[in-house]
Amino acid sequence: MDVDFHLHKVQALSPKAAKIALRMLDRDPRVPTEWVMSLRPALVERSSDADSFGGTDWMTIAAIERPGIRRFTERFESREQRHARLWVMSLRTAAKQHDRAEPDESVYGGL
């Protein structure tokens, strides 16, 4: 999975799910900057009709940030919150795989 896959999946997110995903994308240093620049406009557009965050939305955000509390929050998650969490987790996994696939410049002396 790559950025194109996630960009396509933005359209499948509800506005609230896109708003949660956008909040997480903006705060995630693990996602490459070029991915953020590609995904952010689509998430902003998709989330434009979303309501303000409610209590369970903040619980989903906390579950993304701290996977250890996920077992408590999953009982309260709505479908759209779960979709947002899964989209963000999938993006993080893809970013981690992308990092492993890129050759380390320090090994080659920047050639």
Side-chain angles (χ1 to χ4, degrees), residues 27-78:
R27 301 182 69 202
D28 199 333
R30 295 166 282 208
V31 178
T33 303
E34 61 272 13
W35 289 21
V36 173
M37 299 302 289
S38 296
L39 294 167
R40 193 172 198 297
L43 286 169
V44 167
E45 181 180 335
R46 186 73 180 139
S47 67
S48 63
D49 293 333
D51 295 331
S52 298
F53 287 144
T56 58
D57 296 323
W58 291 112
M59 289 172 55
T60 297
I61 290 169
I64 293 170
E65 286 296 316
R66 296 186 181 106
I69 67 169
R70 188 170 304 137
R71 65 176 180 228
F72 301 111
T73 61
E74 283 181 342
R75 289 182 270 179
F76 303 104
E77 272 186 339
S78 69

Side-chain angles (χ1 to χ4, degrees), residues 84-98:
R85 181 175 50 80
L86 294 173
W87 186 89
V88 170
M89 300 311 290
S90 175
L91 181 66
R92 286 180 176 176
T93 300
K96 189 183 299 184
Q97 291 170 349
H98 174 74

